[in-house]
Amino acid sequence: GESVGLHLPTLSVQEGDNSIINCAYSNSASDYFIWYKQESGKGPQFIIDIRSNMDKRQGQRVTVLLNKTVKHLSLQIAATQPGDSAVYFCAENINQAGTALIFGKGTTLSVSS
Amino acid sequence: GAVVSQHPSWVICKSGTSVKIECRSLDFQATTMFWYRQFPKQSLMLMATSNEGSKATYEQGVEKDKFLINHASLTLSTLTVTSAHPEDSSFYICSAKRPGTGKETQYFGPGTRLLVL
């Protein structure tokens, strides 16, 4: 079964608000995590990644937080825009060459103007 | 960037026919590609790992004779759905791992929507 899951299937926010999307993973051996954004009818798009030796990583308007103690991962989107509306997946990997990613169930983010 | 393309983007076929989907890494060589399928409102499910020059590794429950994978070059992997049936209708997505980055980041194609009538 899946070892990565998400707390909420949907999240609705107003434009300009900050969004927080959560993900729980169960495989303590996982040491690399990625957030992907998937718009309707398209393939997943890389947003940000983090290794297990880090607690936080920032990108442009996005921040990923990793709490290895409770096996929790979150994606924070600042000043959410309508274009951020999509399904967001967290994915984990045990950093071995050639191994695939394991995806969580996804959170649908809806941003209203 | 790391661009992965898929062709076709969508296909409609009759039950019993075979459909081939191509996955190409456009600006890098990928020794490993992955094939996923995704049903509506669900997550991506790994079908198989495609290694250049060797046999694909299939996930449990995925029929290798049903879903033929060929990774003939460092930039091309193909998935052939043989004798397709309506239950094979799905969104098929490939990904490729870009070598030399020291990470397992995978870059995804835009997906191929298959509808079997």
Side-chain angles (χ1 to χ4, degrees), chain A residues 11-19 37-40 42 45 61 77-88 108-113:
Chain A
L11 176 65
S12 296
V13 300
Q14 291 285 323
E15 182 178 2
D17 288 351
N18 295 331
S19 302
K37 171 186 179 183
Q38 186 179 28
E39 297 175 306
S40 181
K42 298 182 179 180
Q45 176 186 359
R61 279 203 308 119
I77 305 174
T80 313
Q81 303 169 359
D84 295 327
S85 295
V87 179
Y88 289 81
T108 299
L109 175 65
S110 298
V111 183
S112 52
S113 302

Side-chain angles (χ1 to χ4, degrees), chain A residues 52-109:
Chain A
S52 60
N53 61 353
M54 301 174 68
D55 297 323
K56 179 180 179 178
R57 190 153 189 249
Q58 287 183 296
Q60 186 177 12
R61 279 203 308 119
V62 294
T63 301
V64 55
L65 298 177
L66 176 63
N67 186 329
K68 296 180 288 295
T69 302
V70 295
K71 298 192 190 72
H72 184 267
L73 191 70
S74 69
L75 175 70
Q76 300 178 1
I77 305 174
T80 313
Q81 303 169 359
D84 295 327
S85 295
V87 179
Y88 289 81
F89 293 97
C90 63
E92 64 175 319
N93 176 257
I94 303 172
N95 197 15
Q96 299 171 4
T99 56
L101 295 171
I102 300 172
F103 280 81
K105 290 184 172 63
T107 291
T108 299
L109 175 65

Side-chain angles (χ1 to χ4, degrees), chain B residues 17-36:
Chain B
T17 61
S18 294
V19 175
K20 179 186 283 188
I21 302 170
E22 295 185 346
C23 176
R24 295 181 184 272
S25 54
L26 298 183
D27 54 353
F28 64 99
Q29 293 182 331
T31 55
T32 304
M33 291 184 172
F34 304 92
W35 286 96
Y36 295 81

